[in-house]
Amino acid sequence: MQIIRIVGGASGKTQKLNVEEQDLDQNLLKWLRLQGITIASSCDGEGVCKKCSIQNDWLTCKLTLKDLFKYQPDGKVFVPYL
Ligand code: FES
């Protein structure tokens, strides 16, 4: 099992989410929403609005959880407006 740490820029709070092996191929935006994390979007994952971006301007709608751990091995997700 791996862990994603959601770090809110506005609140300064960190939330830990457990990731099961079978979830690694899921879309990051959809998975975060299923976990109750509010990620902004006005294009619903079309890759147009750029509102779903996290650190380094990565678009959560275009990443899988596996991609996140590839580029960010510690699982940290910084969301400026949370
Ligand atoms: S949801 Fe619009 S760019 Fe990702």
Side-chain angles (χ1 to χ4, degrees), residues 1-6 15-39 54 60-66 68-69 75-77:
M1 178 172 33
Q2 292 177 284
I3 294 175
I4 287 181
R5 290 181 303 119
I6 307 293
Q15 186 174 349
K16 291 182 181 178
L17 303 171
N18 294 330
V19 177
E20 302 296 333
E21 192 72 26
Q22 66 266 21
D23 293 337
L24 289 173
D25 289 325
Q26 289 196 32
N27 175 272
L28 182 58
L29 173 62
K30 290 178 182 175
W31 187 84
L32 288 172
R33 286 178 168 175
L34 286 173
Q35 307 309 309
I37 304 297
T38 304
I39 300 294
I54 54 175
T60 58
C61 68
K62 296 299 177 192
L63 293 174
T64 65
L65 277 72
K66 191 183 297 178
L68 174 68
F69 287 114
K76 180 181 174 185
V77 172

